[in-house]
Amino acid sequence: MSPGGKCSLEYAYRQGTEKLGNAGVPEAQLDAWYLLEYVTGIGRASYYADPDREMSAEQKTKYDKCIEARSRRVPLQHITGEQEFMGLSFRVNGDVLIPRQDTEVLVETALDILNREEDAFQRETGRVCLLDLCTGSGCILLSILHYAKCRAEGTGSDLSARALAVAEQNAERLGIPADFIESDLFENISGRFSMILSNPPYIRSSEIAELQEEVRLYDPIEALDGREDGLYFYRRIITESPSYLNDGGYLIFEIGYDQAADVTGLMREQGFDEIHVKKDLAGLDRVVYGRYIR
Ligand code: GLN
C-alpha cells in the first residue's frame, strides 16, 4: 500500500485484526470485520468476491481510527453507535448501558404476561399501561411496545437526562410512541400501571473493578452499581411499587445470576404473590417477577 493512500480491503482487514489481537481484544478478527463492514458498507459475499478491491483513502483513515478506538477497548457499539436488541436497532452512546442479549429474557417474559393477561388488565382499568424504571436506551420498553399484540401505553423513566435523550431518539427512529420522564425511580411518577419493569443497576460495588474493560470504562457506572450488596434498587422499587401497581399488576426485574433468592425474598416480604424466576440462555437465573394482589 502507498503511505497514507489507498489499500486493499484484505490488507486493511488483516492489519486491523492484527492490531486488535495485539491489543488483547477478545474477538479481534470478528471486530475487525464488523468495523470494515461499518466503514465500507461491504458485506461478506461482496468482500470474498474481490478482496483485492481497494478502499478509498478516506475509508482507510476512518477504518484506522475505528481500529485505534477499539484497541483502547472502546466498545464496538460506541464506535458504530448502535446495538441490535430483539431484532431492532437501537442508538447507543456512553450515556446508556449497551443493551445485552440476556435482557431479551425480560422482554419475552413481559410479552408472555401481556398476551396472557391483556383481558384482565383491560377489565381492571380499560387500558394497558407499562412503566420501565431505569430505562436507559429505552430498549426494554420500546421492544415490548413494538411486539405487543395489544395496544399498550408506555412510560420510561431514568435519573439521567442524557440517557432519556437517547431513549427519545430511539422511540422516534423506531416510530414507537412512549413517554419519557426524568425521575429518581418513582419520584416524578404518578398513576398506576399494569406492569412495572426494570433492569436496575445490580452489580455489587466491590465487583465493579473485576468487570471487563469495555463495561468498566465505557458503560455508565450509574447503570451498573447496585451499591454495597447489589440490591439497593431492588429494595427501593419493591417497597414503593405497590402504590403504583393496579390490583393484580406485575413487577418484573432483570437480576444478576446470584440474586434470585434475595430478590424473591424481598418481594415475598412486601406481599407479592405468584413469584417466579426465569433463566437466560446460559441457564443462569435472569428474571424475577411477581404479582401484587390487594
Ligand atoms: N448485565 C450487566 C453486566 O453484566 C449489568 C446490568 C445491570 O447492572 N443492570 O454488565
Side-chain angles (χ1 to χ4, degrees):
M1 136 186 175
S2 51
K6 297 179 195 168
C7 80
S8 75
L9 291 171
E10 189 185 18
Y11 180 84
Y13 178 32
R14 257 196 288 122
Q15 202 183 39
T17 302
E18 195 182 308
K19 282 190 185 154
L20 294 185
N22 290 341
V25 171
E27 298 200 82
Q29 192 173 357
L30 196 60
D31 285 8
W33 171 259
Y34 282 138
L35 290 171
L36 191 72
E37 205 170 21
Y38 167 65
V39 167
T40 63
I42 286 169
R44 283 219 186 252
S46 170
Y47 171 83
Y48 283 111
D50 184 12
D52 292 331
R53 191 176 347 161
E54 292 203 330
M55 65 204 283
S56 70
E58 297 88 80
Q59 285 178 336
K60 180 66 167 70
T61 306
K62 186 169 175 196
Y63 187 63
D64 287 347
K65 274 197 188 134
C66 291
I67 291 291
E68 186 274 324
R70 189 68 193 98
S71 299
R72 285 185 284 115
R73 307 300 284 270
V74 174
L76 196 67
Q77 298 90 335
H78 286 184
I79 301 172
T80 63
E82 68 178 359
Q83 169 65 38
E84 192 234 78
F85 179 80
M86 291 297 296
L88 303 171
S89 163
F90 287 88
R91 304 299 300 180
V92 296
N93 61 27
D95 296 324
V96 298
L97 188 84
I98 296 170
R100 314 284 207 252
Q101 193 182 7
D102 291 332
T103 304
E104 296 186 349
V105 182
L106 171 60
V107 172
E108 279 156 8
T109 304
L111 287 169
D112 285 347
I113 294 172
L114 257 185
N115 289 337
R116 209 173 59 220
E117 301 284 349
E118 185 206 339
D119 292 345
F121 290 158
Q122 295 281 10
R123 242 180 284 124
E124 182 65 23
T125 57
R127 46 212 279 250
V128 178
C129 300
L130 316 180
L131 173 65
D132 177 25
L133 299 171
C134 314
T135 197
S137 66
C139 68
I140 294 171
L141 181 70
L142 295 173
S143 50
I144 295 171
L145 293 173
H146 178 78
Y147 289 108
K149 295 199 185 96
C150 61
R151 237 186 67 84
E153 297 162 47
T155 302
S157 86
D158 206 287
L159 188 62
S160 158
R162 296 161 73 104
L164 290 172
V166 176
E168 273 163 6
Q169 193 190 352
N170 281 321
E172 175 137 0
R173 281 183 82 228
L174 295 165
I176 304 167
D179 289 327
F180 291 102
I181 299 177
E182 189 176 335
S183 176
D184 178 7
L185 301 184
F186 293 102
E187 189 184 21
N188 300 321
I189 303 296
S190 56
R192 289 185 190 270
F193 299 86
S194 325
M195 296 207 287
I196 297 175
L197 312 133
S198 188
N199 174 18
Y202 59 65
I203 314 270
R204 291 175 194 88
S205 303
S206 60
E207 286 170 8
I208 300 275
E210 295 155 30
L211 298 173
Q212 68 182 56
E213 281 183 49
E214 283 82 350
V215 178
R216 182 167 55 80
L217 302 178
Y218 297 102
D219 273 322
I221 182 80
E222 317 87 281
L224 298 169
D225 192 342
R227 313 272 174 106
E228 205 168 315
D229 65 357
L231 300 171
Y232 174 81
F233 293 95
Y234 296 110
R235 272 193 206 93
R236 281 184 58 194
I237 294 170
I238 290 168
T239 312
E240 295 176 45
S241 57
S243 317
Y244 296 88
L245 279 171
N246 291 327
D247 193 14
Y250 284 78
L251 177 59
I252 314 176
F253 284 123
E254 174 170 322
I255 57 159
Y257 71 96
D258 57 354
Q259 292 174 321
D262 286 326
V263 175
T264 52
L266 290 166
M267 286 177 76
R268 213 170 289 119
E269 273 170 43
Q270 190 64 45
F272 279 83
D273 283 314
E274 299 176 31
I275 300 168
H276 292 93
V277 179
K278 282 186 72 166
K279 292 186 190 298
D280 61 23
L281 291 173
L284 302 172
D285 291 340
R286 183 59 63 187
V287 166
V288 168
Y289 67 95
R291 294 183 84 176
Y292 197 77
I293 300 168
R294 266 182 264 284

